[in-house]
Amino acid sequence: MIIVDGTGNTPLVKKVTEILETSVTKSKIQTFNDGEISVEMFENIRGQDAYIIHSLSYPVNDNLMKLMLIMDALQRASVSRINLVCPYLCYSRQDRKDKGRTPISARLIADMLEMKADRIMTFDLHAEQIQGFYTIPFDNLYASIVYKKFLKEELNIHPDSDSIIVSPDTGGAKRARTYGEYLDVPIAIVEKRRPRAGECEVMNVIGDVKDKHCIIVDDMIDTGGTMCNAAKVIKDMGAKSIKIMVTHGVLSKNAVEKLEESCFDQIYISNTIDNTEKLQNTTKFIVIDFAPLLAEAVKRLSEDQSISDLFD
Ligand code: R5P
């Protein structure tokens, strides 16, 4: 097995390789002045089972092109299998044609990645049905494997803790229910509307958040609009405290400042996206390390062991 750092999340790759007691394959990825990317592998990798770890986060399109070129290099270097480990998979929010004359971007990404990859693994895919766009094996790891335990064991959330799990939109209701059932606490759902891409408005809240410690769970924070709006409404309805637990910290525009200034007590995000620089001087953010789970999943894939056993 070889591990290739796609450079989309080098700190995570470093942690994973440390856990697996291995090192990354020597390579050079550089960008020319006009934006073109060049890739060169420095080791003989013929016949190897290759794992490329690469988050398709900002700059999304550059990272995507980089990945395509790395896969092409690996294929031409005769590796036996290309396993894509994309902790964050881009374009997943554009998974259907919801108005006329628009692309289904998530499907196009699937077609592109499938040109070269033999298998793909990611965390908390925005919509599970995107797996159906792929014909290669697709493993979707749930952040809840880590987060549910964290809530129970570290934050001591239990049925008598006056806690409630909140979904910031109706699309996340199933996720909230999974947490609620595991912790045996009630759930609430905020009903939001998106007048335009990147903007959202809260319409309604289903459930009773008054005097409750609220934990809002979601798959991602992008501009922070969804979270801040949801928080404002549940605070106005009498929430005692508000924490956020999110998988992918996309954190675009001024999301970090917005979230730091908002009424959250704590913001838990994972390291599926590298936000080391952005979060340097923050006080509310706590990054939960997914490297141990990712390393275990990579190990299992390389040994043809079950991935779903990790979910138990
Ligand atoms: C939407 O369906 C997602 O689960 C997130 O709630 C959304 O993408 C977050 O975006 P933003 O932070 O820009 O509101």
Side-chain angles (χ1 to χ4, degrees):
M1 168 177 90
I2 58 160
I3 295 200
V4 177
D5 178 7
T7 70
N9 192 341
T10 298
L12 182 63
V13 179
K14 199 164 170 279
K15 285 184 172 172
V16 170
T17 49
E18 273 167 15
I19 296 169
L20 294 175
E21 296 177 344
T22 180
S23 52
V24 290
T25 299
K26 289 189 185 63
S27 64
K28 188 169 178 185
I29 302 170
Q30 50 183 341
T31 306
F32 294 118
N33 292 330
D34 65 350
E36 284 189 7
I37 298 161
S38 90
V39 173
E40 188 178 352
M41 310 304 300
F42 291 133
E43 293 176 40
N44 173 22
I45 48 181
R46 193 176 291 274
Q48 295 278 3
D49 193 15
Y51 289 80
I52 309 171
I53 308 181
H54 185 58
S55 276
L56 291 169
S57 52
Y58 181 84
V60 171
N61 300 322
D62 282 352
N63 274 329
L64 188 58
M65 192 60 201
K66 203 178 274 179
L67 180 57
M68 295 306 293
L69 293 168
I70 294 170
M71 288 198 287
D72 193 62
L74 294 185
Q75 197 180 49
R76 290 173 195 279
S78 305
V79 297
S80 67
R81 197 165 67 156
I82 296 179
N83 304 275
L84 275 191
V85 181
C86 293
Y88 172 69
L89 193 58
C90 61
Y91 285 101
S92 297
R93 284 172 287 178
Q94 300 181 46
D95 61 342
R96 63 192 174 281
K97 198 171 159 187
D98 56 1
K99 38 182 185 300
R101 302 182 296 281
T102 56
I104 302 180
S105 312
R107 170 61 207 247
L108 178 62
I109 298 298
D111 289 344
M112 286 168 67
L113 299 182
E114 272 200 10
M115 277 168 59
K116 304 283 178 188
D118 296 295
R119 158 187 293 282
I120 181 160
M121 183 161 72
T122 190
F123 268 109
D124 267 9
L125 192 57
H126 180 66
E128 298 227 38
Q129 58 272 24
I130 289 175
Q131 291 176 66
F133 293 163
Y134 291 78
T135 54
I136 54 174
F138 192 118
D139 292 296
N140 181 28
L141 294 176
Y142 299 108
S144 60
I145 301 171
V146 177
Y147 281 170
K148 283 192 303 191
K149 263 184 135 185
F150 185 86
L151 286 167
K152 194 174 211 161
E153 291 164 17
E154 305 291 323
L155 300 189
N156 199 21
I157 308 293
H158 56 83
D160 301 320
S161 58
D162 278 342
S163 302
I164 187 164
I165 301 291
V166 181
S167 170
D169 53 31
T170 47
K174 187 178 160 210
R175 180 179 303 108
R177 204 174 306 121
T178 309
Y179 282 88
E181 278 170 6
Y182 176 81
L183 299 161
D184 199 10
V185 299
I187 67 164
I189 298 161
V190 176
E191 195 199 342
K192 83 172 179 199
R193 183 175 76 95
R194 274 205 191 278
R196 277 167 292 280
E199 285 177 29
C200 63
E201 280 169 12
V202 169
M203 309 288 287
N204 198 9
V205 177
I206 305 157
D208 185 9
V209 294
K210 191 167 162 36
D211 294 329
K212 294 270 174 27
H213 296 292
C214 300
I215 299 124
I216 313 181
V217 291
D218 206 354
D219 63 330
M220 70 172 81
I221 299 185
D222 185 352
T223 63
T226 302
M227 279 298 175
C228 291
N229 287 351
K232 188 175 176 312
V233 172
I234 59 177
K235 192 81 189 168
D236 289 349
M237 293 177 101
K240 231 192 253 178
S241 70
I242 307 175
K243 292 190 171 80
I244 302 178
M245 193 151 243
V246 163
T247 312
H248 309 296
V250 178
L251 302 176
S252 56
K253 288 164 81 180
N254 61 340
V256 173
E257 294 76 33
K258 207 195 281 181
L259 291 157
E260 278 276 299
E261 283 161 16
S262 195
C263 56
F264 304 110
D265 296 271
Q266 207 83 74
I267 301 163
Y268 299 98
I269 60 166
S270 81
N271 53 352
T272 56
I273 294 176
D274 176 29
N275 283 306
T276 319
E277 260 179 51
K278 278 188 198 169
L279 301 183
Q280 243 169 19
N281 298 314
T282 54
T283 55
K284 293 186 178 173
F285 285 84
I286 292 184
V287 178
I288 309 276
D289 187 12
F290 279 15
L293 176 58
L294 201 55
E296 177 63 25
V298 167
K299 183 172 166 282
R300 281 169 183 257
L301 281 186
S302 70
E303 293 170 355
D304 286 332
Q305 285 180 37
S306 165
I307 292 292
S308 54
D309 279 357
L310 286 172
F311 304 156
D312 300 332

